[in-house]
Amino acid sequence: MEILAFGVQADEKPLIEKAFAGRFPVRCLDVFLNADTAPIAAGHEAVSTSVNADLDAEVLRILAAGGTRMIAQRSTGFNNIDLAVAGELGFTVARVESYSPYSVAEFAWTLATAVNRRIVRAAGRTRDFDFRLDGLMGRDFHGRTAGVLGTGRIGAAFARIAHGFGMRLLGWDIAENPDCTDLGMTYTDKERLFAEADLISLHVPLLPATHHIVDAAALAAMKDDAVLVNTSRGGLIDTEALVGELRRGRFGGVGLDVYEAEAGLFFLDKSLEAVADDTLARLMTFPNVLVSSHQAYYTEDAVTQIVETTARNVSDWAAGRRSVNVLVPAAP
């Protein structure tokens, strides 16, 4: 049984091939799974997909008609998959429940520091031998307040970094994490966190309840010089509302590794094309905004864990075993 892996990055390919070695042959494609590319999977019982695959009802039906029965997604998030339709069609769908939390947490901190200390602007200047400091003044994070929305493994790792920098910690989640309370984190409601935090980092999954959790009201409540970082899912922020606040000259910095309309853009080379997304184009014009291409997870350590778990998920399915990574069929 050959596994067909969609949306494979060049750096990722040898890690996938190593993870599947001795289990199943695997063929890696750099194209993402969508309605146009789904017919390629015909004859493959199992496919592996990336987080930017489009697994809506149409794509799932194309896969089912071609004989695919198992989908192994190489990510923790699964908001791109229509799980109800997958269940109706008899698919087994698995994800990677967890991997190195440090990859994302460290990158979130990197974004926060980069926008706070104007690193991108400074690097651009010095390349032109412009060594002025005008416009490059940041602020100490030490002694200020970090607000962490979502205090699971990644949020807790971010909180430990912030604590190490001497920041006061505010947290919001449906349940308190003892690892965070041991750091001195105070759990509070979202409204207080948005109002008091100097640095806000998002680490919650994208669910109906968290869609646009950072909406116009939340943005209006934030400090004018707050730093906002999102390394989780783009749909957590109302991007149109964010652009509106940025146009008013607000926020000390915004670091976005994800964007709510990133599908069809991120992971691809669009440098020779006119990007039709006016909102993303507008975001790129603000000097206090840094947008990266959904790379927070992209360390050798994390990707190795992701692809090894993906290979195990396929092996478990082939052997009739069920693990915590299985989303469909739903647990009884």
Side-chain angles (χ1 to χ4, degrees):
M1 179 178 69
E2 182 183 63
I3 312 304
L4 192 62
F6 286 90
V8 177
Q9 304 297 313
D11 297 331
E12 186 185 18
K13 183 178 178 181
L15 299 178
I16 289 179
E17 292 173 340
K18 180 179 179 180
F20 276 93
R23 301 174 189 260
F24 304 101
V26 60
R27 182 156 61 101
C28 296
L29 304 178
D30 59 2
V31 297
F32 294 97
L33 180 59
N34 54 39
D36 293 328
T37 60
I40 302 173
H44 291 83
E45 291 184 78
V47 300
S48 176
T49 60
S50 67
V51 68
N52 269 359
D54 183 0
L55 286 155
D56 61 12
E58 179 186 6
V59 172
L60 290 170
R61 291 191 177 97
I62 295 172
L63 291 176
T68 299
R69 297 187 292 130
M70 197 275 173
I71 298 167
Q73 177 138 300
R74 302 187 306 278
S75 72
T76 299
F78 52 89
N79 54 286
N80 60 317
I81 308 173
D82 190 328
L83 296 181
V85 172
E88 293 170 5
L89 294 171
F91 280 105
T92 295
V93 180
R95 61 159 175 166
V96 178
E97 187 189 42
S98 63
Y99 55 87
S100 167
Y102 310 108
S103 59
V104 178
E106 291 173 5
F107 193 83
W109 189 262
T110 300
L111 281 179
T113 304
V115 296
N116 176 47
R117 299 305 301 269
R118 316 295 193 253
I119 298 298
V120 175
R121 180 186 291 184
R125 283 187 184 179
T126 54
R127 281 182 179 275
D128 293 331
F129 292 90
D130 178 353
F131 299 103
R132 293 172 301 157
L133 297 182
D134 295 344
L136 301 183
M137 183 175 288
R139 297 185 302 162
D140 291 357
F141 279 136
H142 179 87
R144 288 189 163 84
T145 299
V148 185
L149 267 78
T151 56
R153 296 173 72 240
I154 296 173
F158 182 87
R160 284 193 291 273
I161 297 172
H163 179 262
F165 272 71
M167 298 193 77
R168 168 181 172 243
L169 301 175
L170 291 178
W172 176 87
D173 210 325
I174 57 175
E176 296 186 6
N177 185 338
D179 291 339
C180 292
T181 55
D182 287 347
L183 296 173
M185 176 179 283
T186 299
Y187 278 85
T188 185
D189 54 59
K190 298 190 300 294
E191 291 72 22
R192 178 186 171 194
L193 187 150
F194 290 137
E196 294 187 13
D198 300 288
L199 165 60
I200 298 169
S201 192
L202 309 182
H203 300 288
V204 294
L206 180 58
L207 304 167
T210 59
H211 181 255
H212 285 183
I213 192 170
V214 180
D215 57 11
L219 292 163
M222 293 178 192
K223 295 180 178 181
D224 287 344
D225 56 2
V227 171
L228 173 63
V229 173
N230 186 11
T231 53
S232 185
R233 287 293 182 269
L236 299 176
I237 296 178
D238 183 339
T239 314
E240 292 287 350
L242 175 61
V243 168
E245 294 300 316
L246 288 165
R247 291 181 65 184
R248 284 186 276 276
R250 300 191 63 225
F251 303 129
V254 176
L256 303 175
D257 186 52
V258 288
Y259 172 60
E260 60 182 326
E262 69 182 55
L265 290 172
F266 282 24
F267 304 145
L268 300 172
D269 181 3
K270 297 290 185 178
S271 60
L272 299 179
E273 301 177 26
V275 176
D277 190 324
D278 291 338
T279 303
L280 180 60
R282 188 72 179 93
L283 272 176
M284 298 289 197
T285 67
F286 294 106
N288 57 336
V289 175
L290 174 56
V291 178
S292 54
S293 53
H294 205 143
Q295 69 183 83
Y297 78 98
Y298 206 54
T299 66
E300 181 179 347
D301 311 78
V303 174
T304 296
Q305 292 172 19
I306 289 168
V307 299
E308 288 179 348
T309 300
T310 300
R312 285 196 301 272
N313 286 342
V314 177
S315 295
D316 286 345
W317 167 76
R321 296 187 297 265
R322 183 184 179 90
S323 74
V324 295
N325 294 315
V326 175
L327 300 169
V328 175

